[in-house]
Amino acid sequence: MSADAWWRNGIVYQIYPRSFQDSDGDGIGDLRGIRERLDYLVGLGIDAVWISPIYPSPMADFGYDIADYEAIDPRFGSLADFDALVAQAKARGLKLILDYVPNHTSDRHPWFLESRSSRSDPKRDWYLWRDPAPDGGPPNNWLSNFGGPAWTLDEATGQYYCHSFLKEQPDLNWRNSEVRAAMYEVLRFWLRRGVDGFRVDVLYHLIKDDQFRDNPVNPAYQPGEDESHRLLPLYTTDRPEMQPLVAEMRRVVDAFSDTDSSRVLIGELYLPLDRLVAYYGRNAEGVLQGVQLPFNFQLIAAHWQAAEIGRIVRDYEAALPAGAAPNWVLGNHDKPRIASRIGEPRARLAALLLLSLRGTPTLYYGDEIGMTDVPIPPDEVQDPFEKNQPGKGLGRDPQRTPMQWSGEAGAGFTAGRPWLRLAADFTHRNVAAQQADPASILRLYQRLIALRRREPALHEGHYEALEAGTDVLAYARVQDDRRLVVLMNFGTAAAPIPAQLLPAGATVLLSTRTEDAAPVAPGFTLQPLEGVILG
Ligand code: GLC
């Protein structure tokens, strides 16, 4: 793979640092812990690690509220630990991607402390301050994504500030050129330290309507749902001014790319397909000047059904601008885990899908061992989303529990008391047990990743949809004269495969059920919930 293309073909692995590996017994994962586990990641076969925020933070939103963009929170270690991690990752050929949180800072960030100190402070305009409405209430109807209004009154200066998330996360004013300059310096700070790119938090939120118009009511809102869905985010997200802004951000990062290293921007964008692909930033000359990878979350929302998944893949392929790099995601720290959404047998199919589709796959830590959401009793809840709107199933603690490395006390994650409880099944569902079991989902992930690396058709070939009956998702991945056929039986009955789909002389390169390659002959039948790659 050439240097400029690693993010097209590579595999990204998301680490939630609090929960990956604790090295000092305080029950919270840290950078040294990640370093200790790099060889595991190499063995798994991934190319790049994305680490959720590790910067100094009051942890109101577990690191997504940043008080200093250019340092490491002592809970996670020091800048020296970070530099050591970069060096050790590089020595193993792994890329390192940091989380970049541009929409908001912590309310303890010195910029916000200055900004709120007086109406005439030079940094007043770095955040979004507005006078109260005539009745003294918030300036408009905007809602916080975590529940309640997006505005909090600062008594001392008599104005409201805007926060798309918690009141402890005031939104920066990206229309202000000093803010942009300061935030681009943050990118340069980490690029100089050797990072290979950034996952950009809620990218589509950065610019809000300059007239602060009310958002329209969402006619589809159902009582009991997440409160923030009461309104459509028309004036608060995906504004037209976003496109030149993303292009500007891309130029900052591109300045650090050369033939040895290509730096990447991955955008967190929960948007409909036509708006999502706009973030590739295709200009009039056809040049893509936006983020290289607008995160494609469609598999997270999908019904696990062959026809629906087939349609999602076809529509996505059709919507991509020329030259754009596709990508796929099964889960992250904000969404219920794949194994809980669809069950382990189907999660094995999901692994096959993720690693055989055209596009950069992102894995969420622990999904490779089939970790499931862990029910958190009310008195142990940590996530502010759950605390603000209890009982609606919005809490994200269940998918953030410690990595299950072994069956020992602390699951090999910590020698202390884990910050969030372990899954009850960690004694048997863990890395050590699954390494020893050829039939485990971990070994399936390893086989899939190895095959994907070995077969150019899988990591860079084109995608061709095939027809194989209602319950079977079928497609080919083709590169020159190499043609691999992927078949997935989403149904619970055996599925005979039409003979014309079977490549002549092919063998089963991989099955989600067994390690033994069988001959492919007329009458070839998939077992219930079996997926195969033939070639
Ligand atoms: C993103 C993060 C989420 C965080 C929110 C506010 O959606 O993934 O965890 O709470 O932004 O920063």
Side-chain angles (χ1 to χ4, degrees), residues 16 50 61 64-65 99 101 104 146 165 169 199 201-202 204 268 270 332-334 383 396 400:
Y16 193 69
W50 149 36
D61 189 20
Y64 285 94
D65 49 321
D99 219 304
V101 185
H104 43 267
F146 285 144
F165 294 87
Q169 295 168 295
R199 173 268 191 189
D201 192 65
V202 295
Y204 59 130
E268 187 202 20
Y270 286 95
N332 59 40
H333 63 295
D334 295 323
D383 183 17
R396 301 166 296 175
R400 297 176 175 180

Side-chain angles (χ1 to χ4, degrees), residues 455-472:
E455 289 282 355
L458 275 184
H459 63 252
E460 58 190 30
H462 69 257
Y463 170 87
E464 186 187 312
L466 302 172
E467 268 312 318
T470 333
D471 279 337
V472 177

